[in-house]
Amino acid sequence: MSEKPKKPKYRENEQVIENKELNIWEALLPVFVLVGMLAYNVYVFGDDALSGSNQFILLLGGAVAAIVGFFNKVSYKQMLAEVSENVRSTTGAILILLMVGALSGTWLVSGIIPAMIYYGLQILNPTIFLAACVIICAIISIATGSSWTTAATVGIALIGIGEALGISLGMTAGAVLSGAYFGDKLSPLSDTTNLAPAMAGGELFSHIRYMTWTTIPTISVTLIVFIIIGFTLDTSGVADTGAILSTINSTFNINGWLFLVPIVVIFLIVKKAPPLLALLIGTLLGGLFALIFQPEIVTNIGGGTSLNFESSYKGILNAITVDTAIETPDPALNDLFSSGGMKGMLGTIWLIVCAMVFGGIMDGIGALARITKSLLSLAKTTFGLFASTVGSCLALNVTASDQYLAIVVPGKMFSKAYAERGLAPENLSRTLEDSGTVTSVLVPWNTCGAYHSGVLGVGVGEYFVYAIFNWLSPIMTLLFAAFRIKLKQLAVAVKA
């Protein structure tokens, strides 16, 4: 075994443990077993697989890797040491996830998220309806960090409006999902946006900034195509969102002052403030604005009947920490106006920890080093490495049927390969999102594909070609790799 010094900032700079007694098939055996178990588990549990069973399957995959390690003379102590190092390295990501949950809670009860939805819906126009769907869903998904919630609420409303206008359901669904996944990718509230840099060894806001280089051109092409389609359609009817707007306006005190909070957070992000600081300030300002603009909602959440310090305190803390739901006369909006707070992030944190156990054991037995060398021998060029990453993400979306695993497994497997090429972790995390996150909705038996087609009432085959942003994203990231556009280098390349 050989050991190399570790550099704390980037995880891919940590030691690469080699085991000459381990062959490639032994190294791949835990991966094959893991993918097989995950595929069956998702088949059995469906959308509920992320509630805990997938996490346990990751631990079972780690156990298989440990057995392979024992047969190849790797000590339990060494495997445990790597697991400990892996879990320790995710501390920052876990804290950010918890703070993201807190921020989403206060932004809901303060009316910030409802205000974004309220003003976003008002840009609808029949002629540019499809492009407007993209923009509206992008705004809401950025605000909520959830493509699933966006599709299940405003997405359903837009499907109904599109049908009334005589627009193909597949077109409308494709526009909804294009916007929803654009927002999901760029929102710091999104679990996949947090997961990708955590797996690659990068940092959240650096990942988001770097992702814009491929994401902005992709969404621009998407919007242009939908605008062209819109002008060729013969639409009729009126896009009536009056009922939804009235419900939002009667439930919340909607006004432009609420946008000061996201503006402050965006300013802090642009100025490269520490992520935890930016999120903490956004959370506290959200709580303050909730007390100023939505005192009745805060009082109700706090279990009080009249505004007082105790009920206000409880209301804000409940919004930050646990499940919060704001009732409206519209059942569809009730799903949107709910938040899990910090508690809602525990499932993703659980997934990260279990993934780190699997990855740590794979690292400890020398499997990752063996797989990395094989990948590097196959990927003779930098483009080949990017193409291999995209292919792996697509394959896992098809076989494991889960977007999270399409990020976790390639993220862990490829991180050292990118470092050995002298590529910064943002290259990997961007590629994971461009090919793992967004393409999950294009696979009918993937949890995302099954969910969205069921919620929107439109089959994957009907919206596939119109989900332009989703299938164009991996193509765009490969074009950037082929022409070596914005491929960030490590300050000091890691030698193999």
Side-chain angles (χ1 to χ4, degrees):
M1 303 295 173
S2 63
E3 296 190 359
K4 298 178 182 178
K6 300 175 185 178
K7 188 176 178 181
K9 186 176 181 182
Y10 294 114
R11 292 200 64 256
E12 68 271 27
N13 287 347
E14 70 182 55
Q15 61 181 2
V16 178
I17 297 177
E18 298 184 15
N19 185 349
K20 295 181 180 179
E21 298 186 26
L22 191 73
N23 63 51
I24 184 60
W25 296 113
E26 289 174 322
L28 288 172
L29 177 61
V31 178
F32 292 147
V33 172
L34 175 65
V35 171
M37 289 192 296
L38 288 171
Y40 181 72
N41 191 62
V42 171
Y43 169 76
V44 172
F45 282 90
D47 294 344
D48 292 331
L50 283 173
S51 298
S53 55
N54 269 356
Q55 285 87 330
F56 183 68
I57 294 299
L58 281 165
L59 295 181
L60 288 181
V64 173
I67 293 172
V68 172
F70 288 136
F71 275 98
N72 284 276
K73 302 177 183 179
V74 180
S75 68
Y76 171 78
K77 182 179 180 181
Q78 178 171 306
M79 287 186 278
L80 192 62
E82 284 302 306
V83 169
S84 177
E85 174 62 23
N86 270 18
V87 173
R88 184 195 65 79
S89 70
T90 64
T91 302
I94 288 173
L95 291 175
I96 286 175
L97 278 171
L98 290 173
M99 194 54 62
V100 162
L103 182 140
S104 64
T106 61
W107 280 27
L108 171 64
V109 299
S110 64
I112 295 170
I113 291 174
M116 291 181 177
I117 297 171
Y118 181 83
Y119 290 113
L121 284 173
Q122 294 185 60
I123 70 172
L124 281 176
N125 180 285
T127 306
I128 57 168
F129 174 74
L130 293 172
C133 285
V134 176
I135 295 170
I136 291 167
C137 291
I139 292 171
I140 294 171
S141 193
I142 287 174
T144 62
S146 173
S147 58
W148 284 34
T149 301
T150 301
T153 52
V154 175
I156 293 175
L158 293 171
I159 287 287
I161 295 169
E163 189 172 15
L165 295 172
I167 297 175
S168 160
L169 293 181
M171 288 184 183
T172 306
V176 166
L177 293 173
S178 291
Y181 274 84
F182 167 80
D184 191 299
K185 276 184 65 179
L186 293 185
S187 174
L189 306 181
S190 169
D191 44 9
T192 55
T193 306
N194 281 271
L195 189 61
M199 293 300 101
E203 186 268 325
L204 174 61
F205 291 125
S206 177
H207 163 65
I208 292 174
R209 285 193 296 269
Y210 197 67
M211 223 177 3
T212 59
W213 287 102
T214 55
T215 303
I216 298 301
T218 306
I219 198 64
S220 298
V221 172
T222 301
L223 283 169
I224 291 171
V225 172
F226 277 124
I227 289 172
I228 293 172
I229 292 175
F231 279 108
T232 62
L233 292 175
D234 181 19
T235 59
S236 59
V238 179
D240 182 16
T241 58
I244 296 175
L245 295 175
S246 177
T247 299
I248 296 174
N249 201 35
S250 63
T251 305
F252 297 91
N253 176 16
I254 301 296
N255 61 76
W257 291 107
L258 293 168
F259 287 94
L260 282 176
V261 178
I263 289 173
V264 169
V265 174
I266 292 171
F267 174 79
L268 290 172
I269 293 171
V270 171
K271 290 297 183 180
K272 300 183 180 181
L276 281 173
L277 176 61
L279 294 172
L280 176 61
I281 291 174
T283 299
L284 296 177
L285 286 176
L288 177 62
F289 273 51
L291 294 173
I292 296 172
F293 295 106
Q294 321 295 341
E296 291 184 3
I297 291 176
V298 174
T299 299
N300 290 336
I301 294 173
T305 56
S306 61
L307 185 62
N308 56 65
F309 178 79
E310 183 178 345
S311 62
S312 298
Y313 175 80
K314 287 181 65 177
I316 297 299
L317 265 293
N318 283 340
I320 289 174
T321 57
V322 296
D323 296 327
T324 301
I326 299 174
E327 296 293 328
T328 74
D330 189 334
L333 287 177
N334 290 342
D335 292 331
L336 183 58
F337 296 151
S338 62
S339 170
M342 298 172 84
K343 176 185 174 184
M345 290 296 175
L346 294 180
T348 304
I349 291 171
W350 188 7
L351 178 68
I352 289 176
V353 171
C354 292
M356 290 297 96
V357 171
F358 172 74
I361 296 175
M362 288 287 287
D363 204 355
I365 68 175
L368 292 186
R370 176 66 64 186
I371 293 171
T372 296
K373 284 192 173 182
S374 298
L375 288 171
L376 289 174
S377 67
L378 293 174
K380 301 295 185 181
T381 64
T382 298
F383 175 78
L385 182 59
F386 280 84
S388 298
T389 308
V390 170
S392 297
C393 291
L394 296 177
L396 278 163
N397 262 329
V398 172
T399 57
S401 304
D402 187 88
Q403 68 171 349
Y404 294 96
L405 301 170
I407 293 173
V408 168
V409 176
K412 184 60 186 174
M413 297 301 181
F414 281 81
S415 61
K416 290 183 174 63
Y418 275 74
E420 290 175 358
R421 291 277 184 181
L423 296 168
E426 288 85 352
N427 295 284
L428 175 56
S429 61
R430 182 177 74 183
T431 306
L432 292 175
E433 289 247 68
D434 283 343
S435 52
T437 298
V438 300
T439 60
S440 57
V441 75
L442 303 177
V443 181
W445 54 87
N446 187 287
T447 52
C448 292
Y451 172 84
H452 286 293
S453 61
V455 164
L456 298 176
V458 185
V460 174
E462 293 179 71
Y463 68 64
F464 186 102
V465 68
Y466 298 109
I468 300 167
F469 177 82
N470 301 74
W471 55 256
L472 184 58
S473 289
I475 297 174
M476 187 67 71
T477 203
L478 288 177
L479 286 174
F480 270 62
F483 292 100
R484 302 189 68 85
I485 303 171
K486 285 296 174 180
L487 301 187
K488 186 177 180 180
Q489 303 294 308
L490 283 171
V492 180
V494 179
K495 296 181 180 180

